[in-house]
Structures are given as C-alpha cells and as structure tokens.
Amino acid sequence: MKIKKGDRVIVIAGRDKGKQGEVTRVLPEENRVVISGINVRKRHRKARNQAEQSQIVSFEAPIHASNVAHIDPSSGKPTRVGYKFLEDGRKVRVARASGEQIDR
C-alpha cells in the first residue's frame, strides 16, 4: 500500500470529495484508510446501567484507499506515487507530478 499513517491526502471520490485530511490509521488487509475529519458517522450508544446516559457518538469510518490520493508537497494538488532509490540505498516515495519526495 502506498498510503501510510501521517500522510496528507485528498478524497477524489464519494460524499466527501475534495476534502483534505491526515491519515490516522491504515487497514492494509481491507485496503482502507481512516482520515481525520472525513467520512464521519454517528452511532447511538445505549446506556449500560441506570447511572449512565445514552448518547450519540461520532467517529471516522474507514474509506477505501482507491478513493483518496496523495497531495503533492509542492503544488497541493492530487498526485500519483512512485518510488525512487536514494544514494544511501533507501527506497522513498516520490510524487509523480513534481518528482518531490513524500517520505520524511
């Protein structure tokens, strides 16, 4: 998977199209990612006993990785991701549009 925790991404399809956020969790076995402030759902939680109150809980649901794209560090637009080897032998992710390095 080319998306990692902490990456800045933009939603390119679905209800939240055009919104940007940071990846908070990656679910590689399901090919999904959780993005802060994106795909927010509400769930009603029942009170477990008399002392507690029932409440409505908001949470970010996972979104499919194919519906998000990396944000190019130089232009701020969506870009595809490629790989490049540095002189010291490290493999890093680069933005295809500008060639700028995505990995820190």
Side-chain angles (χ1 to χ4, degrees), residues 27-43:
L27 308 166
E29 60 279 347
E30 300 171 19
N31 205 21
R32 291 178 173 270
V33 292
V34 177
I35 306 166
S36 61
I38 306 292
N39 201 22
V40 177
R41 304 288 181 188
K42 291 190 178 195
R43 175 148 301 157

Side-chain angles (χ1 to χ4, degrees), residues 3-44:
I3 299 173
K4 295 181 181 178
K5 182 178 177 179
D7 287 347
R8 297 278 305 153
V9 294
I10 185 168
V11 180
I12 57 173
R15 187 184 71 187
D16 293 320
K17 182 177 180 177
K19 292 184 182 177
Q20 298 180 9
E22 186 175 322
V23 177
T24 57
R25 210 167 106 206
V26 178
L27 308 166
E29 60 279 347
E30 300 171 19
N31 205 21
R32 291 178 173 270
V33 292
V34 177
I35 306 166
S36 61
I38 306 292
N39 201 22
V40 177
R41 304 288 181 188
K42 291 190 178 195
R43 175 148 301 157
H44 296 259

Side-chain angles (χ1 to χ4, degrees), residues 46-91:
K46 187 177 177 181
R48 294 189 182 118
N49 55 34
Q50 289 285 336
E52 276 187 29
Q53 279 192 332
S54 59
Q55 56 186 350
I56 299 173
V57 179
S58 295
F59 65 99
E60 287 112 4
I63 187 170
H64 201 270
S66 66
N67 293 332
V68 299
H70 276 88
I71 296 176
D72 194 326
S74 60
S75 68
K77 294 183 179 179
T79 183
R80 293 183 297 154
V81 177
Y83 291 100
K84 186 170 80 171
F85 287 96
L86 299 178
E87 303 84 39
D88 59 357
R90 286 189 304 138
K91 184 179 179 181

